[in-house]
Amino acid sequence: MTDATPEAGAAPEAGGSAAANGGRPEPAAPRRRDAARSRDLLVRAATELFAERGFERTTIREIGDRAGVDPALIARYFGGKTQLYLAAVQMELGDTAPADLLEEDRLRGLLERFSRRGPGPTFQAAVLPGDNTEVQRAARTYLHERLVRPLQDRFTAEQADRPRLRAELAAAAFAGIVLARTSGAFGELAEADSEDLLPLLHDLLAASRPAR
Amino acid sequence: MTDATPEAGAAPEAGGSAAANGGRPEPAAPRRRDAARSRDLLVRAATELFAERGFERTTIREIGDRAGVDPALIARYFGGKTQLYLAAVQMELGDTAPADLLEEDRLRGLLERFSRRGPGPTFQAAVLPGDNTEVQRAARTYLHERLVRPLQDRFTAEQADRPRLRAELAAAAFAGIVLARTSGAFGELAEADSEDLLPLLHDLLAASRPAR
DNA sequence: GGAGTATGTCATCATGTGATGACATCGCAT
DNA sequence: ATGCGATGTCATCACATGATGACATACTCC
């Protein structure tokens, strides 16, 4: 129940407040108290910031600032920063379909998405040993479900040897590349248009299949 | 009587450590105070810890603990945690030769080295946006010199298009894989023997060359 | 052997962070 | 309209961290 729960839209609009809005869902409600909205704003801001800077280096004050919501509400609504992260990952899980990285269309979709929004909060966990076990576990589950499993299934179907290892290898390579694009460490990689990058990336990942 | 023997001053390191070391090459110095040794121990411990946990999440107290040296000496000898990191990268630079990732022997060397010691402190910076500009710059330089440049030279010599982009792509993929091995996010990748992994990794990276 | 400096140890500060609870204000049910 | 719970605001706590300086001790040089 992350967003758009019926309870949210039901009551507050009936108030007949000054600016009676017709179809617009969220025009500029001047100053309404709406827990669902606050929760949603927090999750959104958190998703962005976790994606940009990682879990540890994002502070709840930053999240509150970007969301325009008092950081104390993070504790109230989610329990703490960790639970907020878990909620963000849950939302991401709902948004994203499993993607077989070797299908060029899937790959394009992911790449464009990451170019706009940065990689999800989970990718850093793929590559960094985290100290927060809950966070780690959620991130790993996400990665395995969305990236590794589809590849592993493909390799298994293709009767490749070591399907799991190959899938993990490709996923790790993909994570490294996507993260590196936003890290600033590699200039040309960061600036490359995702359309230009796509064929190179696709060829690279395709090499995780057994040579023939 | 026979009391009051000044043995107190004689055996402060009562652990009997003198007997512990056998034919160590550097045991001789009974010097209990040795700035050069302390500096060295600190740099070593720092290199390990930065590699394991990254720059930000390594504390100077941990470094001091592992080195067996008071953390305050970090400030004295290096100026601060940042400068200690820079010194560690410098040492790494001295140790490591530039490596063309497409040469299987080079790749094997790196892989085995990382299996033993973990990736160097710089790899995380390849993949994470850091907030410390000095640290970022040092890491970027290291990566570019040791990984990207050799590949770029190779691609240029092979008259591939976009040599720089291809080199960065391969380096980023390599960083992702090497980091993922120690992150715990991918089980089979982490447990795979480097000899087993080598051919797969080599094939994957080789695909950064233009298809023919 | 003694002085003076290099080296090491310790307590403490300043800051940033996540968390918590007291209080203020809103809005709905009655 | 009014009372009471829901929502928001604020001050503050507890803790970790990097840094700093005062002090203690060992080493070197004469």
Side-chain angles (χ1 to χ4, degrees):
Chain A
M1 49 166 69
T2 46
D3 58 335
T5 52
E7 77 198 39
E13 199 171 16
S17 54
N21 49 49
R24 285 296 206 75
E26 205 66 13
R31 240 328 216 57
R32 221 164 57 174
R33 293 196 165 200
D34 184 341
R37 194 178 103 103
S38 295
R39 274 197 290 263
D40 190 58
L41 289 172
L42 284 174
V43 174
R44 268 195 237 275
T47 302
E48 290 178 19
L49 283 166
F50 287 146
E52 290 172 16
R53 330 184 22 139
F55 176 75
E56 327 254 351
R57 302 205 321 221
T58 300
T59 71
I60 60 173
R61 286 170 236 266
E62 283 175 306
I63 297 172
D65 273 358
R66 184 171 298 197
V69 171
D70 192 287
L73 295 183
I74 291 174
R76 179 169 350 241
Y77 290 137
F78 298 92
K81 187 187 171 189
T82 296
Q83 287 79 5
L84 175 58
Y85 177 86
L86 299 181
V89 172
Q90 281 304 320
M91 201 186 75
E92 199 96 355
L93 259 175
D95 275 9
T96 321
D100 178 339
L101 291 178
L102 299 197
E103 283 181 27
E104 196 152 355
D105 287 340
R106 295 287 205 175
L107 188 59
R108 173 183 289 111
L110 283 181
L111 204 56
E112 277 171 2
R113 171 188 180 132
F114 293 153
S115 297
R116 275 183 286 107
R117 310 182 20 192
T122 57
F123 274 70
Q124 302 193 5
V127 139
L128 294 185
D131 49 355
N132 188 321
T133 62
E134 286 189 85
V135 166
Q136 275 292 83
R137 210 156 44 80
R140 288 183 199 173
T141 302
Y142 175 91
L143 286 170
H144 190 259
E145 293 296 322
R146 304 289 129 161
L147 291 186
V148 175
R149 175 117 71 191
L151 274 177
Q152 182 177 355
D153 290 347
R154 164 193 280 264
F155 291 144
T156 301
E158 293 178 354
Q159 300 187 343
D161 63 315
R162 294 178 161 280
R164 172 83 179 265
L165 181 59
R166 290 178 187 276
E168 289 182 355
L169 195 72
F174 180 66
I177 290 164
V178 168
L179 287 169
R181 281 197 92 195
T182 62
S183 78
F186 300 112
E188 202 151 315
L189 185 57
E191 288 171 14
D193 193 67
S194 46
E195 255 337 288
D196 291 343
L197 193 59
L198 185 60
L200 294 183
L201 180 54
H202 180 264
D203 286 354
L204 189 80
L205 294 178
S208 61
R209 309 163 81 172
R212 37 191 44 186
Chain B
M1 310 237 329
T2 65
D3 56 76
T5 55
E7 71 163 345
E13 48 178 342
S17 61
N21 53 26
R24 287 295 238 13
E26 196 70 3
R31 250 174 127 167
R32 297 166 51 200
R33 296 193 161 199
D34 185 339
R37 196 178 103 99
S38 297
R39 272 197 291 264
D40 191 57
L41 289 171
L42 284 174
V43 174
R44 269 195 235 274
T47 302
E48 291 179 20
L49 284 166
F50 287 146
E52 290 172 17
R53 330 182 25 140
F55 176 75
E56 328 254 349
R57 300 203 325 219
T58 301
T59 72
I60 61 173
R61 284 171 238 265
E62 283 175 305
I63 297 173
D65 273 358
R66 184 170 299 197
V69 171
D70 192 287
L73 294 184
I74 291 173
R76 167 140 39 208
Y77 289 138
F78 298 91
K81 188 187 171 191
T82 297
Q83 287 81 2
L84 175 56
Y85 177 87
L86 299 181
V89 172
Q90 280 304 320
M91 203 187 72
E92 199 94 356
L93 259 174
D95 274 9
T96 320
D100 178 338
L101 291 178
L102 299 196
E103 282 181 28
E104 196 152 355
D105 286 340
R106 294 288 204 174
L107 188 59
R108 173 182 290 113
L110 283 180
L111 204 54
E112 275 171 4
R113 172 189 178 130
F114 293 154
S115 297
R116 277 183 285 107
R117 310 184 16 193
T122 57
F123 274 70
Q124 302 195 4
V127 139
L128 293 184
D131 49 356
N132 188 320
T133 61
E134 285 189 86
V135 167
Q136 275 294 84
R137 208 154 47 80
R140 279 166 68 170
T141 302
Y142 175 90
L143 287 170
H144 190 259
E145 293 297 321
R146 304 289 131 161
L147 292 186
V148 174
R149 175 117 70 191
L151 274 178
Q152 182 176 354
D153 289 349
R154 164 193 279 265
F155 291 142
T156 301
E158 293 178 354
Q159 300 188 343
D161 64 315
R162 293 178 159 280
R164 171 83 178 264
L165 181 59
R166 289 178 187 276
E168 289 182 355
L169 195 72
F174 180 67
I177 290 165
V178 167
L179 287 169
R181 280 197 92 193
T182 61
S183 78
F186 300 112
E188 202 150 317
L189 185 57
E191 289 171 14
D193 192 68
S194 45
E195 250 344 281
D196 291 343
L197 194 59
L198 185 60
L200 294 183
L201 181 54
H202 180 263
D203 285 353
L204 189 80
L205 294 178
S208 60
R209 309 164 82 172
R212 38 190 43 186

